[in-house]
Amino acid sequence: MPSSHWTTVTESTFPWELEALEFIRAKFPDHEPYRAWANFEFTSTDGSINEIDLLVLTKVGIFLVEIKSRPGKITGDAGTWTWEHEGRRSTYDNPVLLTDRKCKKLKSLILRQKAATKLKNDFFVQPLVFCSHGDQVLNLPANVRQSVVPRDREATSDKKERKGISAAIMRCDGIGARPANYIDKPFAKTFSQAIDQAGIRPSQKSRKVSDFVLQDLIMEGPNFQDWAAQHVKLEEVKRRIRIYQVRQGSTPEERSAIERAALREFQLLETMQHPGILRTHGFTEHELGSAIIFENYPEDKCLRLDHFLAQRGDRLESDVRIDL
């Protein structure tokens, strides 16, 4: 049944994400001060686009939940994670780091809203990575496991109880965090007003840059985001698009400096021909900033060096490792 305490901003199109959200929702209270917002995005004050799987407010804290449903054994460190499944390896940046950045950006945006004057400035949004697939095996060091939670599991005759996502958001169990002591009905109401004023919106799966639709965020850095993109009419034509963000309130001089930097990078790369450097396919302006359109390589043929070493380094001969 619909609940005024759980808001689905956009219905997910991914079965695994829908199932993970329903797992959380089934045990989520339908009374004050509990609130949840699923599947939305916001543009932060630095101009970056941020997609959110789930934001929840409970008696013990405010949590931004990132869902990871890829099956397999998960290993890694503070910088990168590697999934091993059916003989294949895939390496990505530690998702806790990206989720934590989203938390800080969301808090900064909320504090700029009129309703936020009634909020405590010291409230914080905690990152949680929910490893939701039933076949996942978390083999991460203890210092990396903080803010990473599996499914909750009750004790059975052959399995021990496992504290997971519900225990984390309802009691702060298993994540090494102290419960907040300031969340009550008035706080929840004011926080909800600030969220509404912040302009959260449905997750935009149809963002356009030139003739390309932005699909998945590949990476982000200081003042830029790289997106995988697909041509609006030619499905087989894919590109990588880098958007140089312009933060809210930038002066004309600051905006001009970022635009010149983007244009210089395009001009420098336009004439380069090197197997280790992606070729450019165009330069354009976007509402969020200047954008460079690059060629796109499949994930298994174009890896960052640190991801390549994490994923395949143990298979390399010593002379190859030294050469790299």
Side-chain angles (χ1 to χ4, degrees):
M1 293 179 62
S3 168
S4 60
H5 297 269
W6 181 289
T7 302
T8 299
V9 183
T10 310
E11 285 290 349
S12 176
T13 58
F14 303 110
W16 54 88
E17 189 174 88
L18 283 170
E19 193 277 336
L21 290 169
E22 187 55 37
F23 181 87
I24 300 172
R25 184 173 182 171
K27 298 181 180 181
F28 197 76
D30 190 20
H31 58 77
E32 297 290 359
Y34 297 90
R35 306 289 176 94
W37 296 263
N39 276 328
F40 66 91
E41 73 171 29
F42 68 92
T43 302
S44 69
T45 55
D46 67 0
S48 62
I49 301 170
N50 299 271
E51 292 187 339
I52 306 300
D53 294 333
L54 181 66
L55 175 69
V56 296
L57 182 149
T58 72
K59 285 184 177 180
V60 300
I62 305 166
F63 304 92
L64 197 157
V65 181
E66 181 83 7
I67 297 170
K68 294 299 179 185
S69 301
R70 180 188 292 268
K73 182 175 73 172
I74 304 174
T75 58
D77 53 33
T80 58
W81 285 14
T82 298
W83 273 259
E84 297 183 44
H85 182 59
E86 296 180 347
R88 297 188 62 184
R89 289 184 177 184
S90 301
T91 302
Y92 303 92
D93 287 339
N94 180 349
V96 176
L97 302 179
L98 175 59
T99 307
D100 186 55
R101 287 197 292 270
K102 290 180 181 179
C103 289
K104 292 179 172 62
K105 292 176 183 181
L106 182 60
K107 177 180 176 179
S108 176
L109 182 63
I110 289 172
L111 288 175
R112 294 171 67 94
Q113 310 311 313
K114 184 178 180 180
T117 57
K118 302 177 184 178
L119 293 174
K120 289 179 177 291
N121 187 47
D122 60 352
F123 82 88
F124 56 97
V125 182
Q126 299 184 62
L128 279 181
V129 173
F130 176 29
C131 295
S132 65
H133 198 285
D135 293 333
Q136 284 175 333
V137 178
L138 293 176
N139 193 14
L140 298 167
N143 64 313
V144 181
R145 276 292 302 269
Q146 188 171 352
S147 299
V148 181
V149 291
R151 288 172 174 266
D152 305 82
R153 183 179 66 203
E154 297 181 357
T156 63
S157 59
D158 59 339
K159 292 182 180 179
K160 295 181 179 180
E161 177 190 16
R162 183 174 64 191
K163 295 176 181 178
I165 182 66
S166 296
I169 65 176
M170 299 301 294
R171 302 186 300 275
C172 275
D173 278 356
I175 58 173
R178 295 177 59 186
N181 59 7
Y182 50 80
I183 297 179
D184 52 18
K185 182 177 179 179
F187 182 94
K189 181 179 179 180
T190 302
F191 185 85
S192 296
Q193 291 173 344
I195 285 289
D196 291 340
Q197 292 171 2
I200 68 169
R201 58 183 183 267
S203 183
Q204 301 294 305
K205 300 301 183 183
S206 59
R207 293 178 295 263
K208 273 188 64 178
V209 173
S210 185
D211 290 329
F212 294 89
V213 177
L214 302 183
Q215 294 182 313
D216 299 312
L217 180 65
I218 300 173
M219 66 174 292
E220 66 178 345
N223 302 318
F224 77 89
Q225 288 183 316
D226 280 11
W227 292 84
Q230 180 176 296
H231 196 278
V232 291
K233 292 184 178 180
L234 306 174
E235 293 186 2
E236 70 278 7
V237 178
K238 300 179 185 298
R239 295 288 183 264
R240 180 186 185 116
I241 296 181
R242 172 167 294 184
I243 300 177
Y244 286 81
Q245 306 144 6
V246 179
R247 66 176 179 83
Q248 294 180 13
S250 294
T251 65
E253 292 77 15
E254 291 171 332
R255 177 181 289 271
S256 178
I258 293 173
E259 291 173 351
R260 290 197 304 273
L263 186 58
R264 281 198 302 271
E265 179 173 358
F266 171 71
Q267 291 171 332
L268 176 65
L269 295 176
E270 186 181 22
T271 57
M272 275 196 175
Q273 299 289 330
H274 188 282
I277 299 176
L278 295 179
R279 294 167 54 195
T280 59
H281 283 268
F283 179 89
T284 188
E285 294 296 335
H286 186 266
E287 62 182 72
L288 296 177
S290 301
I292 299 178
I293 302 173
F294 291 92
E295 65 179 322
N296 185 64
Y297 273 32
E299 178 185 313
D300 60 346
K301 295 182 180 179
C302 184
L303 291 174
R304 277 175 23 198
L305 178 60
D306 57 334
H307 289 185
F308 175 80
L309 291 176
Q311 188 168 314
R312 305 181 187 177
D314 59 352
R315 307 175 191 175
L316 300 177
E317 298 294 338
S318 57
D319 57 335
V320 177
R321 294 174 64 88
I322 292 173
D323 193 39
L324 283 173

